Amino acid sequence: MSETLALNRIPLEDYARLLGEGEIEELRALAKPLRGRSMEMINSTAVGGGVAEILTRLLPLAEELDLAMQWNVMTGGEDFFEVTKSFHNALHGAPYHASQRDFDIFLAYNERNRAKLPLDAEFVVIHDPQPAALIDARKAGSNHWVWRCHIDLSHPHRAVWDFLEKFVSRYDGAMFSSPEFSQQLPIPQYLFYPAIDPLSEKNQELDPEFIAEVLARYQIDPQRTILTQISRFDRLKDPVGVIRAYRIVKRYFDCQLVLAGGSASDDPEGAIVLKEVLREANNDPDIKVLELPAWAPLEVNALQRASTIVIQKSLREGFGLTVSEALWKKKPVVASAVGGIPIQIIHKHTGLLSHSVEGTAYQIRFLLSHPEIAVKLGENGHQHVKENFLITQKLKRYLTLFLSMARGS
Amino acid sequence: MINAETPFEFVTVSYLTRIGNQSAGTLAELLTGLEHCSDASIFHHTFQTLGSHHFLTEGFSNDFAQWVLADANRDDLAEQLAALDIRDYVSIAALRSDLCRVVGEYCKAFPHFAGQSALERFYFCESTEVTVPLGRSARTLDEFRDGIAHLSHAGFYFHFISSRLRLQLQTNDFSHWLAGGLGLATLADTVNRIDIYTNTLDSSRAKLLRLIDRERRKA
């Protein structure tokens, strides 16, 4: 069965208090011509993952603007999700042996979902590869279909992309998180950033007492410099590289390093990486390797807010929304120039970019030596997120896209 | 209080960023891109980016200059590109011509830098503009002030910065109406001199409101 999701209300006034009444008035003005016109979002999971997280917050906002936006989730068996997981990794550039059986499974589940899902809204947004073949349900010229790709397609597995491209090229447009991820397609391609919600538990203001309590729980000294990287234990996030950068910084500055990620207990590869990290940490009491529960948004929020500098030393990255989360909290960020990070970190304006362990260490040392610059970068970063990477901006982009399509531009 | 015959209609704007087909990995490729990209692309990387990065008041001017600085590592060229002031331009063609001249002359003077690979590529994008009326208009200075005070950043940007290209005049919507609608030419001129490079949209608006308040006190 497919699933239509109902979500809790989020009053627009709460956003107006943060962003100003003018911004909300603008959203209302953009929404007005779209009232009474139907919109449908489709993805493959109701909980977990960035897309579901964004839709959970986006839909109630649309409802506040009296827009008829629906969110439907396609369904599939284990075999389908195994195939789409392989596709996902292959599109990220991982090795994969393409088989006809996998393509057949993919097509069969898409066909089943075509029969169950409404797919009759004026604007249909399909998220990611899993439901891409639903485009077969489109009646010629009947409505507008767009494909939103949330993954890094800069080095896709050729056979998988060739298979998907046949479907994607039949949409009216495709949206990518970075120009680097775009492809040669016969349809317009748009830049759509992921977004954070300033009112979510991960980003809302916190009581200083709660932050102090979290630090005490993990034995982190609030009086000393705290360097933090929040990310799962994955080689592409280079946690070992972060420890090496910290060791260089430590020669010049007293500091602690916090590496916090989700639990690796149900992720075999994560468990291996965690072991590598612990080996590299070598029982240094100033390195805190924290396996947070699967969903600990308030703890993540507290750790980010308590940090002196936030690091995101990824080797590859989709968009890297943890950067926006830190910037929203006015934290100076040192991050690798990969994936969507340079869109968030405008070098020397909203943070500092680096390209190596040594470069990361140097930029951290620079900021620790020039705290006034660190403060300025944090403030600029906050403004940058406010203008570009908040959920309200994301909704604005969707409305603009729908209006643009409706007007035929 | 003077009543304008033609009211000022407040609108707001929203931009979709369309990813183009061109990218550049060297200064020579940047020049080729500048010569061949669409007008919407030049607009996106100069006018539009100034609006979306208005809070950067120290050294950020346009995407080309930022890329040359951060990725191509040519500070001297970046400085020249950043010095191009969009207020001097009422057409994209003129702005493109100057961008090409600056990069072209640099490549000619330093051919060894022209082919040097940058850290990251520059992707040419373009803006698709959607405007919507806010349903608010002004005939008097009081109504005008009230409308400006309630504008979003995008609405303020549309009337104050990108309006030059629409009007094809070295002025902005606010000054144009103050002079034409209310006959306040001196105020219009002072408003037009607010520096959009060293002010954020918020501080530009605050200056504009102060100037209007001063005018209201005279009445």
Side-chain angles (χ1 to χ4, degrees):
Chain A
M1 277 288 289
S2 63
E3 216 182 324
T4 300
L5 298 161
L7 302 160
N8 292 332
R9 183 176 174 237
I10 307 174
L12 268 181
E13 296 71 40
D14 292 358
Y15 291 96
R17 273 193 288 278
L18 273 179
L19 309 175
E21 190 52 53
E23 304 302 319
I24 305 305
E25 186 192 23
E26 181 173 280
L27 272 178
R28 288 189 208 281
L30 286 164
K32 197 174 167 189
L34 291 166
R35 288 203 187 117
R37 305 170 86 159
S38 53
M39 302 153 204
E40 187 177 355
M41 298 273 172
I42 294 170
N43 78 325
S44 63
T45 175
V47 285
V51 181
E53 199 180 318
I54 287 170
L55 292 178
T56 303
R57 309 296 291 191
L58 194 75
L59 270 283
L61 264 178
E63 197 169 317
E64 286 290 300
L65 295 167
D66 296 326
L67 293 173
M69 192 182 282
Q70 211 181 39
W71 172 16
N72 292 312
V73 178
M74 78 177 296
T75 50
E78 261 180 46
D79 50 350
F80 176 67
F81 289 110
E82 270 169 30
V83 167
T84 56
K85 173 83 178 166
S86 304
F87 280 13
H88 178 94
N89 292 339
L91 290 169
H92 270 284
Y96 166 68
H97 176 69
S99 76
Q100 190 55 48
R101 183 183 164 273
D102 286 359
F103 294 142
D104 290 344
I105 290 171
F106 180 89
L107 292 174
Y109 277 101
N110 268 269
E111 195 177 330
R112 273 183 231 173
N113 277 274
R114 277 201 299 278
K116 292 173 190 165
L117 292 164
L119 303 173
D120 56 355
E122 184 176 348
F123 304 99
V124 179
V125 183
I126 301 292
H127 292 265
D128 280 337
Q130 297 92 331
L134 292 177
I135 186 75
D136 278 343
R138 180 191 197 174
K139 294 179 187 75
S142 59
N143 47 8
H144 303 283
W145 283 63
V146 285
W147 185 62
R148 170 69 172 104
C149 178
H150 295 264
I151 58 183
D152 176 350
L153 274 190
S154 52
H155 303 90
H157 186 285
R158 196 36 60 191
V160 176
W161 174 245
D162 286 349
F163 171 73
L164 285 172
E165 197 263 342
K166 290 193 292 259
F167 301 103
V168 172
S169 59
R170 288 159 54 201
Y171 284 75
D172 295 316
M175 299 170 282
F176 297 94
S177 302
S178 163
E180 216 182 318
F181 304 163
S182 64
Q183 297 292 315
Q184 287 295 326
L185 287 168
I187 56 173
Q189 299 181 67
Y190 301 102
L191 193 55
F192 258 61
Y193 303 132
I196 62 164
D197 189 334
L199 300 176
S200 69
E201 289 186 323
K202 213 191 271 184
N203 298 304
Q204 70 190 31
E205 288 289 338
L206 293 177
D207 285 337
E209 293 78 23
F210 177 76
I211 297 173
E213 184 211 303
V214 171
L215 294 187
R217 196 188 310 159
Y218 296 117
Q219 299 172 310
I220 301 164
D221 182 353
Q223 303 304 322
R224 294 167 60 211
T225 295
I226 303 170
L227 310 176
T228 302
Q229 175 160 300
I230 306 278
S231 61
R232 63 179 189 273
F233 295 101
D234 178 332
R235 287 198 187 96
L236 292 180
K237 309 293 178 186
D238 199 17
V240 169
V242 176
I243 294 176
R244 289 177 184 159
Y246 150 85
R247 290 236 160 84
I248 298 173
V249 175
K250 187 97 173 174
R251 286 185 220 151
Y252 306 92
F253 295 92
D254 173 46
C255 57
Q256 308 161 86
L257 174 66
V258 178
L259 288 170
S263 167
S265 59
D266 58 351
D267 172 9
E269 197 179 304
I272 296 167
V273 176
L274 180 60
K275 269 188 196 162
E276 292 169 3
V277 170
L278 291 170
R279 195 179 314 126
E280 185 69 28
N282 195 25
N283 295 319
D284 181 337
D286 282 336
I287 300 178
K288 314 289 179 189
V289 180
L290 310 180
E291 270 192 278
L292 298 175
W295 180 238
L298 287 168
E299 280 75 6
V300 168
N301 188 344
L303 291 170
Q304 286 170 328
R305 286 184 188 278
S307 301
T308 315
I309 293 172
V310 171
I311 304 163
Q312 191 60 55
K313 207 208 149 307
S314 305
L315 301 175
R316 285 196 68 183
E317 193 58 78
F319 192 74
L321 264 185
T322 47
V323 170
S324 277
E325 288 168 13
L327 294 178
W328 176 248
K329 296 165 184 104
K330 300 188 179 177
K331 292 296 155 185
V333 176
V334 174
S336 305
V338 295
I341 289 177
I343 295 169
Q344 300 166 83
I345 300 286
I346 305 167
H347 188 51
K348 297 183 182 175
H349 288 293
T350 64
L352 298 178
L353 293 173
S354 62
H355 304 266
S356 62
V357 166
E358 294 76 14
T360 302
Y362 175 79
Q363 303 292 27
I364 293 169
R365 285 161 54 203
F366 176 80
L367 290 178
L368 292 176
S369 300
H370 299 89
E372 71 291 350
I373 294 177
V375 169
K376 182 70 183 164
L377 293 179
E379 280 169 0
N380 283 345
H382 174 80
Q383 288 298 328
H384 190 32
V385 173
K386 191 172 173 182
E387 294 286 336
N388 296 292
F389 310 120
L390 292 187
I391 193 83
T392 42
Q393 291 298 326
K394 184 157 188 93
L395 181 57
K396 187 174 158 183
R397 263 179 219 117
Y398 272 118
L399 301 183
T400 309
L401 174 69
F402 298 154
L403 278 172
S404 154
M405 291 182 136
R407 292 176 185 179
S409 58
Chain B
M1 183 165 284
I2 312 165
N3 257 282
E5 208 168 284
T6 311
F8 186 94
E9 302 287 350
F10 290 96
V11 304
T12 193
V13 67
S14 186
Y15 292 101
L16 268 183
T17 303
R18 192 168 162 173
I19 304 166
N21 297 322
Q22 292 167 287
S23 69
T26 64
L27 293 178
E29 288 171 7
L30 178 70
L31 178 58
T32 307
L34 284 168
E35 286 165 347
H36 295 101
C37 71
S38 65
D39 283 359
S41 185
I42 298 282
F43 174 85
H44 176 83
H45 293 295
T46 54
F47 277 83
Q48 207 265 322
T49 203
L50 188 66
S52 58
H53 298 100
H54 67 94
F55 48 89
L56 301 176
T57 54
E58 290 164 20
F60 184 90
S61 174
N62 60 65
D63 291 340
F64 303 121
Q66 180 63 24
W67 180 78
V68 168
L69 179 75
D71 291 298
N73 208 18
R74 305 287 7 129
D75 296 22
D76 43 356
L77 175 59
E79 196 175 283
Q80 288 181 62
L81 287 170
L84 296 176
D85 185 337
I86 58 170
R87 285 169 302 187
D88 294 337
Y89 299 93
V90 294
S91 81
I92 290 294
L95 178 54
R96 183 203 299 270
S97 164
D98 278 356
L99 287 164
C100 289
R101 179 183 51 76
V102 168
V103 179
E105 283 173 2
Y106 190 89
C107 289
K108 205 182 248 180
F110 305 101
H112 49 296
F113 290 142
Q116 213 166 64
S117 290
L119 287 169
E120 305 292 331
R121 294 188 74 78
F122 183 90
Y123 293 88
F124 285 85
C125 295
E126 52 186 57
S127 290
T128 301
E129 182 180 283
V130 170
T131 55
V132 283
L134 287 169
R136 199 179 321 120
S137 60
R139 282 188 187 275
T140 67
L141 197 55
D142 282 2
E143 289 169 356
F144 185 61
R145 187 201 188 283
D146 190 51
I148 290 172
H150 287 94
L151 271 178
S152 65
H153 282 157
F156 187 80
Y157 158 84
F158 178 78
H159 287 302
F160 196 53
I161 298 179
S162 74
S163 45
R164 294 177 129 67
L165 295 175
R166 218 174 331 108
L167 295 168
Q168 302 225 304
L169 294 170
Q170 288 196 334
T171 187
N172 60 82
D173 284 346
F174 299 141
S175 295
H176 193 59
W177 187 77
L178 284 168
L182 295 182
L184 299 170
T186 309
L187 175 60
D189 186 48
T190 319
V191 166
N192 198 35
R193 277 189 274 122
I194 294 173
D195 189 348
I196 52 175
Y197 285 96
T198 55
N199 280 291
T200 64
L201 289 177
D202 289 325
S203 63
S204 295
R205 184 203 323 242
K207 281 190 179 170
L208 171 52
L209 293 177
R210 277 200 300 276
L211 290 169
I212 293 173
D213 287 342
R214 206 162 64 189
E215 188 68 35
R216 286 160 81 216
R217 282 196 294 275
K218 283 189 211 163

